[in-house]
Amino acid sequence: MRKRLIFAAILAAAVLTGCVAQPQESAVSESTTESETQAATAEATEAQSEETTEPLFDENATPPESFAYEIKDGYAVITDFKGKETEIIVPSRLEGVPVTQIGQYAFEASWNVTSITIPDTVTLIGEQAFLDCESLEYINIPQGVTELQRATFAGCLSLTEMTIPASVTKTDEELFIACPLENLYVENPELPYASWGLEELEFPCTIHAPEGAKILEWAESNGVPTEILE
């Protein structure tokens, strides 16, 4: 009988011990799970932040320090080029905002510059922005630009080819004065000629435009060679 009582006491102690230990294991498990969840959430938030944050500057463009610029109400304006680069890629972003304007005289007399690539964010190019860029051989006009102001490319003595995109609906005089253009592509059939300076060329520039374009009427009446754009 005594042996049975001892065995029963041992068995009861073992069962009681197991019941007390089980909540401790559960608490540890719950604490570990909560910690892991918080860590995973933090990592996911950080990864999402890295994906959605816009860069302050355009890494593939000419460095920001090569330009003087102004930050206005949610956009940037290039006001001057002060670098020594000869092949320029205008940044699409400066200090986290889009570059939408090339200001008046911004690249004036940048004699050594041979090419300028303007981003699609730009919608306004100021008067005489590229005046006297004597070595400039290539420059583009983004599709968002609607107006080309007076003498924008005047004095670009090495510029032989240019495209005016379909988005441009207005131009001012002296646009290409003193530019030795050989080929000019005018994509907007409604864009008329406005004393751009082509009539002063020693050798006529070929005008490429859609059939029936207004610019072709001027070209044909002035003996300027033309070609229909498909």
Side-chain angles (χ1 to χ4, degrees):
M1 176 63 70
R2 186 177 180 181
K3 290 182 179 180
R4 289 182 180 178
L5 291 175
I6 294 173
F7 177 79
I10 293 173
L11 182 60
V15 171
L16 189 60
T17 301
C19 291
V20 173
Q22 186 173 358
Q24 292 178 351
E25 291 178 0
S26 177
V28 172
S29 177
E30 288 178 2
S31 176
T32 302
T33 302
E34 183 178 356
S35 176
E36 290 175 349
T37 301
Q38 290 177 349
T41 302
E43 289 179 2
T45 301
E46 183 178 355
Q48 184 177 6
S49 176
E50 290 177 354
E51 290 178 0
T52 57
T53 300
E54 293 285 356
L56 291 178
F57 300 103
D58 198 335
E59 296 181 356
N60 297 323
T62 301
E65 53 267 25
S66 292
F67 305 94
Y69 59 90
E70 296 177 359
I71 302 297
K72 297 194 175 183
D73 187 18
Y75 65 93
V77 181
I78 301 290
T79 58
D80 189 27
F81 174 69
K82 55 183 182 178
K84 297 182 178 179
E85 294 87 353
T86 58
E87 297 181 356
I88 299 170
I89 299 177
V90 177
S92 62
R93 299 186 69 82
L94 288 169
E95 297 189 24
V97 298
V99 175
T100 63
Q101 297 182 21
I102 307 294
Q104 293 184 353
Y105 312 105
F107 289 86
E108 180 187 6
S110 296
W111 295 300
N112 296 324
V113 173
T114 59
S115 71
I116 301 175
T117 302
I118 305 175
D120 291 338
T121 53
V122 170
T123 57
L124 177 65
I125 298 175
E127 181 175 317
Q128 301 184 45
F130 306 101
L131 178 68
D132 292 335
C133 289
E134 296 180 353
S135 301
L136 187 64
E137 299 176 357
Y138 169 81
I139 187 169
N140 68 301
I141 302 172
Q143 287 288 344
V145 173
T146 59
E147 179 181 354
L148 294 174
Q149 300 181 358
R150 180 176 174 272
T152 305
F153 306 100
C156 293
L157 304 180
S158 301
L159 194 62
T160 59
E161 185 170 301
M162 193 71 204
T163 297
I164 301 178
S167 59
V168 175
T169 58
K170 181 183 178 181
T171 62
D172 290 336
E173 60 185 9
E174 300 178 349
L175 188 62
F176 298 113
I177 196 165
C179 295
L181 288 177
E182 297 174 3
N183 293 283
L184 177 61
Y185 297 82
V186 180
E187 297 180 345
N188 182 359
E190 298 301 318
L191 187 68
Y193 183 75
S195 301
W196 296 340
L198 300 183
E199 64 276 10
E200 299 181 10
L201 292 176
E202 182 178 357
F203 300 100
C205 167
T206 300
I207 304 294
H208 306 259
E211 187 173 2
K214 292 182 178 180
I215 190 70
L216 295 179
E217 297 176 9
W218 172 86
E220 292 168 359
S221 63
N222 286 273
V224 175
T226 62
E227 183 176 290
I228 303 300
L229 284 177
E230 297 296 334

